Amino acid sequence: MSIKNNYLLIIIVILVSSAFAYGQSGEEEFADLNYSDNVRKSGTSAAPFLEIGIGARAQAMGAAYVAVSDDAAALYWNPAGLSLAESVSITANHSDWFVGTSYQYFGLLIPLGNESTLGFSLSSMDYGDKQPVRTIIQPEGTGEYYDASDVALAASYGMKLTDNFAFGASVKYIKQTIWHESAETFALDLGIRYDTELDGLSIGASLSNFGGDMQLEGRDLVRAFDADEENYSNDKLNVNLQTDEFPLPLLFRFGLAYKFLAVENHVITIASDLVHPNNNAVSLNTGIEYTLYNTISIRGGYESLFDDSSEKGLTLGFGLNNPYSQVLDFTINYAYSDWGVLGDIQRFSLDIKL
């Protein structure tokens, strides 16, 4: 090997060694040069109402439901669970949300045969009574009123591909409105469910809100503008203010659920979900359900474990199933969720099977 090649090899070794040494250096050596705190993206996505879970049963179990979803709540948590529907099912949900707002969700399942099911859902966020329009010149109000609302419409389909494996998908139309401005887009939900060979053990995964960005547009973004204030010109030219685009709250969930018979007529379900959103930290939800004689259910759980910035926490609830199911099969569920300094949230849901 020539001297020139030897020098070149030595230079390469030095450069690689230096890079390796820099990569292995301790963070404390550069603590003054780097921003060391965790950077979170809370509040950076549009349509946050899409992150509000549905079904008081699911919420009472700490929102650990992606592998459990075997009822109409599967429309939200995992569309693959629609394949388990044996009859036409309806779910109605109501939640009193923060600062006088409320959230509603309605879902319908229609079995098509061959272990496949079609579903439809409507979710809406109500921000309360109309609010007065205030300006700097008229701080007490202009005599006009504005309101705001969110809505999502979805069509879903779930089917069993094998005896143990199911797949589901939902297509959603999403719209947000505030006064004369609105933003809209479409999104897709995907889900899978696998019932393992171990009786009662299920695995589920879902991807929610995969879609386009949202950007507000409307007549109130049109403003008069004078491009040349020093010289006379058209001082009433209309310009359109362009708002930023924001992504949807993309959610990936992976969960395990184990349902077993403790003793005769005493059924216990244990579940855990790993949740990875695009606008927050990874967290873990966990919950348990105890059902007696298929009539009374007691539930508990904990939401957003390992996320130190979350106000979510303890969840509790119960369910009452109609014992005369041959006449009308319905279930009433209640859930309580502790949101720390924000207070608590109470949810009610009614599920009917026809």
Side-chain angles (χ1 to χ4, degrees):
M1 182 179 291
S2 66
I3 296 177
K4 181 179 180 181
N5 289 337
N6 286 334
Y7 281 134
L8 180 60
L9 179 60
I10 292 172
I11 292 172
I12 293 174
V13 171
I14 292 174
L15 290 174
V16 171
S17 300
S18 300
F20 179 78
Y22 178 82
Q24 294 296 314
S25 60
E27 292 184 1
E28 63 278 359
E29 297 180 31
F30 302 94
D32 296 334
L33 302 177
N34 296 317
Y35 181 75
S36 58
D37 197 6
N38 291 328
V39 178
R40 298 185 181 274
K41 298 189 292 182
S42 300
T44 60
S45 59
F49 78 105
L50 296 174
E51 300 178 86
I52 301 176
I54 70 110
R57 179 191 179 198
Q59 294 300 146
M61 293 179 67
Y65 211 67
V66 70
V68 177
S69 48
D70 54 3
D71 52 18
L75 288 164
Y76 174 85
W77 298 100
N78 185 355
L82 303 183
S83 62
L84 300 177
E86 298 178 351
S87 60
V88 175
S89 301
I90 301 172
T91 183
N93 299 256
H94 173 79
S95 301
D96 288 326
W97 211 240
F98 302 111
V99 199
T101 62
S102 63
Y103 178 74
Q104 287 73 227
Y105 187 97
F106 302 93
L108 171 66
L109 301 186
I110 306 175
L112 302 178
N114 298 322
E115 295 183 313
S116 63
T117 301
L118 186 64
F120 301 95
S121 62
L122 166 66
S123 58
S124 66
M125 190 78 185
D126 181 10
Y127 291 97
D129 297 333
K130 293 185 177 181
Q131 301 296 317
V133 177
R134 305 177 190 273
T135 65
I136 296 176
I137 299 176
Q138 297 175 285
E140 298 302 320
T142 64
E144 299 174 286
Y145 293 86
Y146 76 92
D147 56 9
S149 63
D150 298 334
V151 65
L153 295 169
S156 307
Y157 179 76
M159 67 175 297
K160 279 192 173 182
L161 301 180
T162 68
D163 290 339
N164 298 84
F165 183 79
F167 169 81
S170 300
V171 177
K172 296 190 287 191
Y173 167 74
I174 304 159
K175 184 175 183 179
Q176 290 191 283
T177 303
I178 178 169
W179 205 15
H180 304 122
E181 280 62 60
S182 64
E184 55 188 7
T185 190
F186 288 91
L188 182 68
D189 292 354
L190 299 173
I192 58 172
R193 176 188 169 110
Y194 178 68
D195 296 328
T196 68
E197 297 299 327
L198 178 60
D199 188 31
L201 179 63
S202 300
I203 301 172
S206 68
L207 180 68
S208 302
N209 309 319
F210 179 74
D213 295 341
M214 300 192 75
Q215 182 179 29
L216 283 170
E217 298 177 340
R219 75 186 196 194
D220 297 313
L221 297 176
V222 177
R223 291 288 186 270
F225 178 73
D226 186 359
D228 187 358
E229 296 181 355
E230 296 182 359
N231 300 297
Y232 176 77
S233 63
N234 293 325
D235 60 352
K236 299 297 182 183
L237 293 175
N238 285 332
V239 296
N240 188 23
L241 302 178
Q242 185 177 18
T243 61
D244 286 337
E245 295 182 351
F246 293 91
L248 294 174
L250 187 67
L251 293 169
F252 173 74
R253 299 182 179 94
F254 175 81
L256 298 173
Y258 183 48
K259 183 178 181 179
F260 61 95
L261 189 67
V263 294
E264 187 175 359
N265 296 317
H266 297 255
V267 179
I268 295 176
T269 302
I270 302 172
S272 289
D273 282 6
L274 180 68
V275 184
H276 190 176
N278 68 340
N279 59 2
N280 214 326
V282 177
S283 61
L284 182 71
N285 299 336
T286 185
I288 186 172
E289 175 185 65
Y290 164 70
T291 302
L292 176 64
Y293 287 98
N294 196 32
T295 302
I296 300 175
S297 297
I298 305 297
R299 307 175 181 113
Y302 203 93
E303 195 171 357
S304 296
L305 282 166
F306 309 117
D307 182 2
D308 296 335
S309 67
S310 177
E311 293 296 332
K312 300 178 183 178
L314 179 67
T315 63
L316 299 169
F318 63 87
L320 298 176
N321 184 47
N322 177 27
Y324 306 103
S325 58
Q326 294 181 350
V327 178
L328 179 63
D329 190 351
F330 69 89
T331 303
I332 299 174
N333 293 306
Y334 166 80
Y336 164 89
S337 301
D338 179 14
W339 280 64
V341 297
L342 298 176
D344 57 72
I345 291 293
Q346 301 186 62
R347 296 177 172 93
F348 299 88
S349 66
L350 173 65
D351 297 319
I352 300 175
K353 294 181 180 180
L354 305 178

